[in-house]
């Protein structure tokens, strides 16, 4: 039996998962990472992507839109929004992309002469679009 650690995935709406896990693949803002038992203590922010949780019984996938992960003796992910992969249909995905598009438009209007925040919002929008490709849905092309 593989070594495990406690994992908790929480969004503002609910606790999605609390389990003993062997590893968790995290879509970090600075790149994807895998957390396993005895991982060095780390805090990272999340980008939109697929969070994959591995237990002794198999793997579960969740679509996350952002948030952060705190890795220590256990792993806690506090997601802005998180949905089980199986709950994300085309309509749900379209809504997530529309929300990311609206955030981009708002940032672009508020920071018209500041490329940094606008570039960051564009990256988040593109990451959300990429989620659709990863899970096999029709992707929406954002208006940048």
């Amino acid at each position: 039996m593989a070594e495990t650690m406690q994992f908790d995935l929480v969004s503002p709406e609910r606790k999605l998962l609390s389990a003993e896990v062997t590893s968790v693949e995290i879509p970090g803002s600075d790149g994807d990472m895998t957390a396993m038992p005895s991982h060095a203590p780390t805090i990272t922010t999340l980008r939109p992507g697929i969070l994959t949780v591995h237990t002794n019984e198999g793997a579960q996938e969740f679509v996350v839109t952002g948030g952060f992960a705190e890795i220590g003796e256990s792993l806690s992910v506090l997601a802005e929004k998180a949905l089980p992969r199986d709950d994300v249909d085309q309509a749900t995905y379209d809504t997530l992309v529309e929300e990311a598009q609206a955030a981009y438009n708002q940032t672009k209007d508020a920071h018209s002469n500041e490329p940094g925040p606008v570039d960051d919002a564009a990256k988040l929008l593109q990451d959300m679009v990429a989620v659709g490709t990863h899970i096999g849905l029709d992707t929406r092309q954002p208006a940048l």
Side-chain angles (χ1 to χ4, degrees):
M1 183 179 240
E3 186 179 355
T4 63
M5 67 181 180
Q6 177 61 38
F7 170 74
D8 294 292
L9 173 59
V10 180
S11 73
E13 295 85 23
R14 63 188 169 142
K15 179 182 266 190
L16 285 103
L17 182 64
S18 181
E20 289 293 317
V21 301
T22 55
S23 66
V24 179
E25 297 171 31
I26 302 168
S29 295
D30 293 328
D32 292 348
M33 63 186 297
T34 300
M36 299 171 69
S38 302
H39 193 285
T42 306
I43 295 177
T44 187
T45 55
L46 304 178
R47 63 172 171 72
I50 305 297
L51 181 105
T52 305
V53 180
H54 298 273
T55 66
N56 287 325
E57 287 78 42
Q60 291 180 271
E61 292 184 330
F62 297 88
V63 174
V64 295
T65 61
F68 73 92
E70 181 178 12
I71 306 166
E73 301 224 358
S74 63
L75 170 57
S76 296
V77 172
L78 303 174
E80 291 173 3
K81 186 176 286 188
L83 300 164
R85 161 57 190 102
D86 292 340
D87 291 355
V88 180
D89 58 12
Q90 189 67 48
T92 303
Y93 167 72
D94 290 345
T95 300
L96 293 172
V97 173
E98 288 168 9
E99 290 171 359
Q101 180 74 57
Y104 167 76
N105 292 341
Q106 182 179 9
T107 301
K108 188 175 173 184
D109 291 343
H111 301 278
S112 60
N113 293 323
E114 301 174 54
V118 175
D119 292 344
D120 292 345
K123 171 75 167 92
L124 292 175
L125 175 56
Q126 291 291 353
D127 286 342
M128 195 68 247
V129 169
V131 167
T133 301
H134 181 76
I135 61 179
L137 298 174
D138 280 341
T139 57
R140 298 183 49 141
Q141 292 307 311
L144 297 176

